[in-house]
């Protein structure tokens, strides 16, 4: 008797719940019409003082004008802000015998595709920043601005190289893409054949390892290694990068590695090839300075 009584009561409660849910959805979709019919105000616009000005929040820098001079001033302030953000945001992960900061080393060799084609900004909405963007400060120019001498011959060879970043699809409909870092660095033979170009610049080399992911294009969990067969994480060292680090360790007194990535790369293996590892994230327009 008890169960026979509870069953119709449960059914009635369930039906009322469903009815209430759909009722609330319908009311929410038509809330403006319902409020108007009932004479209910849910918000109110208040104008006080002179409303002719288009400035609602006064800036704390600049002269608050729309002049070209003020625009240039604010643009320069933004550049300084980006440099400060990188100064405060870069993280020194590893530093043997105070390898950083550089003191006596003035003749620098930059190695790696990422040292000349870094990722300045994530793959997301907003203006893109590349080495061709007006006003950008790349790693090479940043070092020159601080009176370091850069190995120009090796730099030109790397800029003409074939390495690069790519995207690959990983579903049957070819609709889902991810970044792959297979081939993002030159082969070991590339550097060995140009070994004569590093003479006079062997006090220190800086290698930039780059990774990126972002809106619409993620990092590949099962990326291809540089042999095109072995599957590894995008955030792990690829074979060509490992070979480059080995080349640097064998030919330079000091090896500095920059991690140009917003993602946590696998760095344990890098330690045995380097004297310092600095995580720089994505430096934006002027952060390399």
């Amino acid at each position: 008797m008890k169960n026979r009584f509870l069953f119709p009561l449960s059914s009635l409660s369930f039906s009322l719940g469903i009815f209430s849910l759909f009722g609330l959805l319908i009311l929410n979709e038509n809330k403006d019409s319902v409020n108007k019919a009932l004479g209910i105000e849910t918000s109110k616009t208040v104008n006080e003082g002179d409303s002719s000005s288009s400035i609602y929040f006064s800036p704390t820098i600049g002269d608050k004008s729309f002049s070209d001079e003020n625009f240039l001033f604010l643009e320069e302030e933004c550049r300084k802000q980006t440099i400060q953000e990188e100064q405060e945001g870069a993280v020194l992960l590893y530093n043997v015998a105070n390898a950083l900061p550089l003191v006596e080393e003035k003749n620098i060799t930059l190695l790696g595709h990422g040292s000349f084609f870094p990722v300045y900004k994530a793959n997301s909405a907003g203006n893109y920043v590349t080495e061709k963007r007006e006003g950008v400060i790349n790693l090479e120019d940043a070092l020159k601005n601080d009176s370091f001498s850069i190995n120009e011959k090796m730099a030109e060879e790397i800029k003409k190289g074939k390495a690069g970043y790519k995207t690959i699809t990983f579903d049957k409909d070819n609709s889902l893409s991810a970044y792959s870092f297979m081939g993002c660095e030159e082969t070991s033979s590339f550097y060995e054949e140009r070994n004569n170009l590093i003479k006079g610049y062997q006090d220190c080399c800086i290698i930039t390892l780059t990774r990126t992911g972002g809106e619409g294009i993620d990092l590949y969990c099962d990326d291809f290694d540089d042999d095109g067969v072995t599957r590894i994480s995008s955030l792990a060292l690829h074979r060509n990068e490992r070979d480059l680090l080995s080349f640097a360790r064998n030919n330079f007194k000091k090896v500095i590695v920059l991690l140009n990535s917003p993602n946590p790369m696998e760095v344990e293996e890098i330690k045995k090839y380097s004297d310092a590892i600095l995580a720089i994230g994505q430096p934006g327009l002027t952060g390399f300075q």
Side-chain angles (χ1 to χ4, degrees):
M1 289 291 292
K2 186 175 181 181
N3 290 339
R4 291 170 62 185
F5 172 74
L6 289 176
F7 180 75
L9 184 61
S10 299
S11 299
L12 178 61
S13 299
F14 179 76
S15 299
L16 288 173
I18 294 296
F19 178 78
S20 299
L21 177 62
F22 278 101
L24 287 172
L25 290 173
I26 293 171
L27 287 172
N28 186 60
E29 288 294 323
N30 299 275
K31 60 182 180 296
D32 292 336
S33 298
V34 173
N35 289 336
K36 185 176 181 181
L38 297 176
I40 298 173
E41 287 187 1
T42 59
S43 63
K44 185 177 181 180
T45 301
V46 178
N47 292 319
E48 294 181 352
D50 182 13
S51 61
S52 61
S53 173
S54 59
I55 298 178
Y56 297 97
F57 300 97
S58 297
T60 57
I61 58 174
D63 60 14
K64 304 179 185 180
S65 74
F66 293 103
S67 66
D68 290 342
E69 291 78 10
N70 191 48
F71 174 79
L72 292 174
F73 170 78
L74 294 175
E75 187 179 48
E76 182 59 28
E77 289 299 304
C78 288
R79 295 178 187 279
K80 293 178 182 178
Q81 174 68 23
T82 303
I83 293 173
Q84 181 180 347
E85 288 177 3
E86 185 64 39
Q87 285 175 336
E88 297 178 1
V91 180
L92 188 60
L93 302 179
Y94 185 65
N95 197 30
V96 178
N98 295 319
L100 286 178
L102 300 179
V103 178
E104 298 177 355
E105 302 84 2
K106 292 299 179 183
N107 298 324
I108 308 296
T109 296
L110 297 179
L111 295 179
H113 180 81
S115 290
F116 301 95
F117 303 98
V119 175
Y120 295 92
K121 174 186 174 297
N123 182 66
S124 60
N127 292 331
Y128 283 94
V129 182
T130 69
E131 63 280 354
K132 296 181 180 179
R133 174 80 179 270
E134 183 180 357
V136 71
I137 298 178
N138 58 41
L139 177 59
E140 190 177 7
D141 289 339
L143 289 165
K144 289 179 181 177
N145 291 342
D146 278 349
S147 301
F148 289 96
S149 178
I150 303 301
N151 187 339
E152 299 284 0
K153 292 182 179 179
M154 180 61 87
E156 290 305 312
E157 289 296 306
I158 297 174
K159 291 175 186 178
K160 294 186 294 185
K162 296 180 179 179
Y165 321 119
K166 59 179 70 65
T167 58
I168 56 177
T169 56
F170 57 96
D171 67 319
K172 292 185 292 186
D173 299 326
N174 292 330
S175 58
L176 300 175
S177 299
Y179 278 108
S180 170
F181 293 89
M182 176 181 66
C184 71
E185 186 49 71
E186 304 292 349
T187 63
S188 59
S189 60
F190 175 93
Y191 288 104
E192 292 294 348
E193 291 169 2
R194 294 161 176 78
N195 193 27
N196 62 307
L197 299 180
I198 66 175
K199 186 177 181 180
Y201 291 88
Q202 291 175 271
D203 288 341
C204 178
C205 83
I206 298 176
I207 296 174
T208 306
L209 301 180
T210 296
R211 295 292 186 274
T212 187
E215 185 177 341
I217 305 180
D218 213 331
L219 284 160
Y220 207 44
C221 295
D222 291 318
D223 197 7
F224 286 99
D225 203 350
D226 293 314
D227 60 7
V229 177
T230 308
R231 306 304 289 264
I232 60 174
S233 165
S234 293
L235 297 174
L237 274 184
H238 285 46
R239 186 181 67 181
N240 290 351
E241 293 174 319
R242 187 179 296 108
D243 290 343
L244 169 58
L245 288 167
S246 179
F247 171 83
R249 184 73 287 169
N250 293 332
N251 289 280
F252 293 87
K253 296 177 182 178
K254 183 178 288 189
V255 179
I256 309 298
V257 176
L258 305 182
L259 301 181
N260 173 213
S261 170
N263 303 90
M265 290 185 65
E266 299 177 17
V267 298
E268 183 66 27
E269 185 182 359
I270 302 174
K271 288 165 60 177
K272 66 181 180 182
Y273 300 104
S274 63
D275 297 289
I277 304 173
L278 186 67
I280 64 170
Q282 295 169 323
L285 197 68
T286 57
F288 268 124
Q289 192 59 64

